Amino acid sequence: MWVIFQKSDGRIVSASADSEIEMSKEAALKEVVPGVVGAKDVSDYDAIQVKDLEQFRNMTRAVSRGMARVRTTTAGKQDLVDDSPDSSVLFITTNAEQFHPVDNVPLIPADGASFLVVTLQKQNEKGEALSRKTIDTDVIWLRTDHGFLREDADEPREKGDIRSVKLVSGTARFRIYSGTERRLATVQMLTTNPELQAGGLRVEFI
């Protein structure tokens, strides 16, 4: 199989058909490039022969998003590279001591003063914590339909409710305070990072 890429930036655009009879590079370019959207000249493209078909199949999503490339090392070796951002998820925990017996929702008194500390930890798809100082610094926007969201500090720097927290090396904490009525509160967590699944949390005021 021949993987076709742009000479200018190495971006992979397509590949030749996988067949028992391998065509030449020139034939692969002439066959594939005319079908590439926006392709103007075959000479703007090159190809690399790939024997590990599974490797290329695993990059299908990256190819479709324009994030797969052929990278040439200083030694002249060419490799397939997936430049897609790492998919990640926010792992959410609390310091709750009481839970509903049916759905395990955390419980706190509806007295307007009790609170839970919520901890957010950014993790990769394998469940491993991501703690890079300059990368894992996403801003997580917060919304709740009941109760109050505040900094995790007895004397917070920011008085009153908060609307967001920023991950520091992949971690952040905040508090949800109960209201004075029995309610089931839902805290939403949102982010502008399309590769980060933020999720949410429910807390019952009893």
Side-chain angles (χ1 to χ4, degrees), residues 4-204:
I4 315 301
F5 63 95
Q6 290 183 341
K7 290 181 179 179
S8 58
D9 59 5
R11 183 171 65 88
I12 296 173
V13 296
S14 191
S16 65
D18 177 22
S19 63
E20 294 181 1
I21 302 175
E22 189 68 84
M23 64 179 70
S24 66
K25 178 197 286 191
E26 291 72 20
L29 287 167
K30 289 179 181 179
E31 178 183 278
V32 175
V33 171
V36 177
V37 178
K40 297 179 179 179
D41 194 332
V42 174
S43 63
D44 293 335
Y45 298 82
D46 201 351
I48 177 176
Q49 193 169 27
V50 175
K51 299 294 184 181
D52 186 353
L53 302 186
E54 190 63 27
Q55 179 190 11
F56 182 73
R57 291 192 186 102
N58 291 338
M59 297 178 67
T60 302
R61 183 166 177 260
V63 172
S64 66
R65 298 172 66 188
M67 294 182 175
R69 302 186 185 282
V70 171
R71 186 169 295 164
T72 304
T73 66
T74 54
K77 181 182 178 182
Q78 292 181 309
D79 294 313
L80 304 186
V81 178
D82 185 344
D83 281 340
S84 300
D86 294 333
S87 295
S88 53
V89 64
L90 276 183
F91 184 65
I92 304 165
T93 57
T94 74
N95 66 339
E97 297 180 352
Q98 288 185 290
F99 300 88
H100 193 282
V102 177
D103 56 9
N104 212 38
V105 168
L107 308 174
I108 56 175
D111 57 11
S114 297
F115 64 88
L116 284 182
V117 176
V118 181
T119 300
L120 309 179
Q121 174 62 62
K122 189 176 179 181
Q123 296 183 346
N124 62 19
E125 293 178 323
K126 298 179 181 178
E128 300 167 337
L130 297 173
S131 57
R132 297 163 293 188
K133 291 183 179 180
T134 59
I135 298 177
D136 301 316
T137 57
D138 306 81
V139 173
I140 309 301
W141 294 91
L142 306 171
R143 288 178 182 156
T144 186
D145 52 0
H146 300 291
F148 310 94
L149 304 176
R150 293 177 180 156
E151 287 188 357
D152 180 29
D154 292 332
E155 296 182 6
R157 295 165 297 176
E158 183 176 341
K159 303 298 182 182
D161 297 354
I162 61 172
R163 298 180 59 217
S164 66
V165 290
K166 185 175 182 179
L167 301 182
V168 177
S169 297
T171 301
R173 291 181 179 82
F174 65 92
R175 295 181 182 183
I176 176 168
Y177 282 80
S178 67
T180 55
E181 297 182 4
R182 294 166 63 97
R183 300 283 189 185
L184 178 64
T186 299
V187 182
Q188 291 179 290
M189 300 169 196
L190 308 105
T191 173
T192 57
N193 181 354
E195 301 298 330
L196 175 60
Q197 298 179 38
L201 172 72
R202 293 190 300 165
V203 181
E204 186 174 357

